[in-house]
C-alpha cells in the first residue's frame, strides 16, 4: 500500500510518464495487468493554461481510469498554480506530479526539468503554488527529480527538504544525474540517503527491469514504493509481477511468443479505440521492437510489423509468429529503451550555477514541452 495524502494505491508502484508512450491506451493495458498508479504523459502548465490543443489532446482518460494522475512540467510558479487548479477543477485528477527530472538539452537549456532544483527558492515557489491550488480539492502533489545536474552540483537532498516544507505528499528520485541521462547505473544509495533525510514518502526510480529489482530496491533503500519507466516497454505484464511480488507471491511472467502476440493485439486494439485505426496502428509501430526483443522473429516480420496500418494487417502478421516459442530468458534483467552516453556538459542558461536560490526568477517555458525524466 502506498499512501499519498488522501490517495491510497493498493500496490506501491507508479508508472513513470513517458512521452508518446503512456497515453490512455497504454495506461489501460498496464492497469489490466495489476494495480498501481498510472500517470498520464507529461503536459506543460503553460500549454494547459493557454488552452493549447495538443496539450488538451493528451489529457484523455480511459472510461475505467478511476484515479486520474497527471505529470505537470513548469518553470513559472503562477502558471504551475493555475494549471494545477485547472487539472483539479476541470479534469477531476486525483494526483499531480511535478517534473524536475527531465535531462533533455532543450529543456535544461531553459532552466527546466532536472536543472531547475538548483534554484532552491524557485523550486519552493513552484511547489507552494501547486500545493496551494490542489489543497482545496484534496489532491496530493508530488515531485520527481534526479540527484542533481552532475556529481559536482547535487540537489536531491535540498529538493527533498523543500518538497516536505512545501506540503508535497511524496518525492520520487531517479538515481542518476542530468549529466548521466539514461546511461550507467542508477545510484540506489542516493535514494536511501533521501529516505533518511525526509519524513515524506520517497519513491525510488532507476534500473527496475524485473519485479525482483523493485523488491530489492525497497529493501535496500527503505523507499515507500517504486517508479517504473523503461522496464515496462514491451512488457506491460511486469505490473502483474510487481503486484504479486509486493504481496509476497513468487510470480515471474515468462510469456510465450503467442501470449506476447496477444498482448500486442490488445495494445493495438486499445490504441485504435482511442485514436482511430489509422493513427492507432501508427502509434503501435514504435512498440514492436520492444515486444519482440530477444525473440527469433525475423527481420522481414519486424519490418512488416513496423509498417502495419490496420488491425486486419496486424492479425495476419501476428498469425505468422510461432506461438510456442518460449520467452528469451537472456533478456531478463537487461535494460530496455534509450540508454545513450553520459554528457560531458549539461546545457544550462547563462550564469545558471552562479545563484543557487532563484526566488522570483522568471523562466519562459515552452507550451509544447513533452519530454519525460
Amino acid at each position: 500500500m502506498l499512501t499519498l495524502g488522501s490517495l491510497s494505491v493498493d500496490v506501491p508502484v507508479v508508472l513513470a510518464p513517458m512521452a508518446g508512450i503512456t497515453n490512455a491506451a497504454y495506461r489501460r493495458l498496464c492497469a489490466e495487468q495489476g494495480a498501481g498508479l498510472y500517470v498520464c504523459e507529461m503536459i506543460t502548465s503553460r500549454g494547459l493554461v493557454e488552452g493549447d490543443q495538443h496539450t488538451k489532446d493528451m489529457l484523455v482518460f480511459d472510461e475505467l481510469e478511476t484515479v486520474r494522475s497527471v505529470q505537470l512540467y513548469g518553470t513559472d510558479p503562477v502558471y504551475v498554480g493555475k494549471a494545477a487548479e485547472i487539472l483539479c477543477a476541470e479534469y477531476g485528477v486525483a494526483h499531480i506530479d511535478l517534473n524536475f527530472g527531465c535531462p533533455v538539452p532543450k529543456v535544461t537549456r531553459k532552466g527546466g526539468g532536472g536543472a531547475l532544483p538548483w534554484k532552491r527558492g524557485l523550486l519552493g515557489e513552484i511547489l507552494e503554488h501547486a500545493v496551494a491550488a490542489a489543497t482545496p480539492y484534496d489532491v496530493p502533489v508530488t515531485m520527481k527529480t534526479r540527484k542533481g545536474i552532475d556529481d559536482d552540483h547535487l540537489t536531491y537532498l535540498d529538493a527533498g527538504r523543500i518538497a516536505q516544507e512545501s506540503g508535497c505528499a511524496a518525492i520520487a528520485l531517479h538515481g542518476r544525474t542530468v549529466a548521466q541521462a539514461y546511461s550507467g547505473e542508477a545510484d540506489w544509495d542516493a535514494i536511501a540517503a533521501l529516505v533518511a533525510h525526509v519524513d515524506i514518502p520517497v519513491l525510488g526510480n532507476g534500473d527496475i527491469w524485473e519485479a525482483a529489482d523493485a523488491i530489492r530496491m525497497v529493501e535496500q533503500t527503505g523507499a515507500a514504493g517504486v517508479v517504473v519507466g523503461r522496464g515496462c516497454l514491451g512488457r506491460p505484464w511486469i505490473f502483474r509481477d510487481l503486484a504479486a511480488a509486493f504481496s509476497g507471491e513468487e510470480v515471474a511472467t515468462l510469456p510465450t511468443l503467442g501470449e506476447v502476440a496477444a498482448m500486442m493485439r490488445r495494445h493495438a486494439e486499445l490504441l485504435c479505440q482511442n485514436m482511430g485505426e489509422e493513427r492507432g496502428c501508427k502509434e503501435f509501430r514504435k512498440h514492436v521492437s520492444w515486444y519482440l526483443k530477444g525473440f527469433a522473429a525475423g527481420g522481414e516480420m519486424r519490418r512488416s510489423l513496423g509498417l502495419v496500418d490496420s488491425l486486419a494487417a496486424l492479425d495476419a502478421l501476428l498469425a505468422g509468429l510461432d506461438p510456442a516459442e518460449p520467452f528469451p530468458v537472456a533478456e531478463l534483467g537487461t535494460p530496455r529503451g534509450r540508454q545513450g552516453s553520459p554528457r560531458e556538459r549539461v546545457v544550462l542558461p547563462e550564469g545558471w550555477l552562479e545563484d543557487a536560490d532563484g526566488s522570483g526568477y522568471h523562466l519562459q517555458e515552452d507550451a509544447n514541452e513533452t519530454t519525460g525524466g
Side-chain angles (χ1 to χ4, degrees), residues 257 292 294-299 302 325:
L257 184 50
L292 296 181
F295 283 106
R302 290 167 192 264
E325 185 183 335

Side-chain angles (χ1 to χ4, degrees), residues 241-313:
D241 293 352
L242 286 160
F246 276 109
S247 64
E249 299 169 31
E250 289 260 345
V251 177
T253 305
L254 292 176
T256 61
L257 184 50
E259 290 170 317
V260 172
M263 188 73 74
M264 293 170 75
R265 178 59 168 78
R266 177 64 176 150
H267 191 173
E269 178 188 326
L270 288 168
L271 283 166
C272 292
Q273 282 175 14
N274 277 284
M275 304 177 174
E277 190 163 4
E278 184 182 1
R279 187 170 158 226
C281 285
K282 279 184 178 171
E283 279 291 319
F284 175 72
R285 295 172 185 173
K286 71 179 78 160
H287 296 270
V288 169
S289 61
W290 293 322
Y291 277 115
L292 296 181
K293 193 165 184 265
F295 283 106
E300 187 55 46
M301 170 65 80
R302 290 167 192 264
R303 271 192 299 278
S304 299
L305 282 167
L307 296 169
V308 73
D309 58 4
S310 71
L311 288 174

Side-chain angles (χ1 to χ4, degrees), residues 147-319:
K147 286 171 59 182
I149 293 171
D150 54 33
D151 287 335
D152 295 324
H153 301 89
L154 299 177
T155 54
Y156 69 102
L157 293 179
D158 281 345
R161 171 184 56 79
I162 294 163
Q164 182 169 310
E165 291 170 354
S166 302
C168 286
I171 178 170
L173 177 62
H174 184 159
R176 288 178 170 87
T177 61
V178 175
Q180 278 180 276
Y182 298 94
S183 68
E185 290 187 2
D187 178 4
W188 290 7
D189 289 342
I191 297 168
L194 183 57
V195 170
H197 188 67
V198 296
D199 298 323
I200 57 174
V202 174
L203 303 174
N205 179 218
D207 296 354
I208 295 175
W209 309 114
E210 308 297 335
D213 297 330
I215 300 300
R216 196 162 46 85
M217 176 188 275
V218 167
E219 288 174 349
Q220 276 186 27
T221 67
V226 298
V227 179
V228 178
R230 294 172 297 155
C232 71
L233 295 175
R235 296 176 65 198
W237 58 83
I238 192 175
F239 293 102
R240 182 166 64 210
D241 293 352
L242 286 160
F246 276 109
S247 64
E249 299 169 31
E250 289 260 345
V251 177
T253 305
L254 292 176
T256 61
L257 184 50
E259 290 170 317
V260 172
M263 188 73 74
M264 293 170 75
R265 178 59 168 78
R266 177 64 176 150
H267 191 173
E269 178 188 326
L270 288 168
L271 283 166
C272 292
Q273 282 175 14
N274 277 284
M275 304 177 174
E277 190 163 4
E278 184 182 1
R279 187 170 158 226
C281 285
K282 279 184 178 171
E283 279 291 319
F284 175 72
R285 295 172 185 173
K286 71 179 78 160
H287 296 270
V288 169
S289 61
W290 293 322
Y291 277 115
L292 296 181
K293 193 165 184 265
F295 283 106
E300 187 55 46
M301 170 65 80
R302 290 167 192 264
R303 271 192 299 278
S304 299
L305 282 167
L307 296 169
V308 73
D309 58 4
S310 71
L311 288 174
L314 178 63
D315 286 338
L317 288 165
L318 293 178

Side-chain angles (χ1 to χ4, degrees), residues 43-110:
I43 61 162
T44 69
S45 52
R46 184 173 161 209
L48 184 57
V49 171
E50 295 182 355
D52 173 64
Q53 191 57 49
H54 176 63
T55 303
K56 288 180 172 179
D57 290 345
M58 291 167 71
L59 279 171
V60 173
F61 298 93
D62 187 273
E63 68 269 15
L64 294 183
E65 208 162 357
T66 51
V67 178
R68 297 181 171 189
S69 172
V70 176
Q71 189 180 67
L72 198 56
Y73 167 86
T75 54
D76 181 304
V78 175
Y79 267 116
V80 170
K82 286 180 178 174
E85 165 87 25
I86 291 168
L87 288 173
C88 295
E90 298 178 24
Y91 289 91
V93 303
H95 166 242
I96 296 171
D97 184 51
L98 296 176
N99 181 302
F100 300 108
C102 182
V104 176
K106 71 175 181 179
V107 172
T108 61
R109 178 179 286 114
K110 293 178 180 147

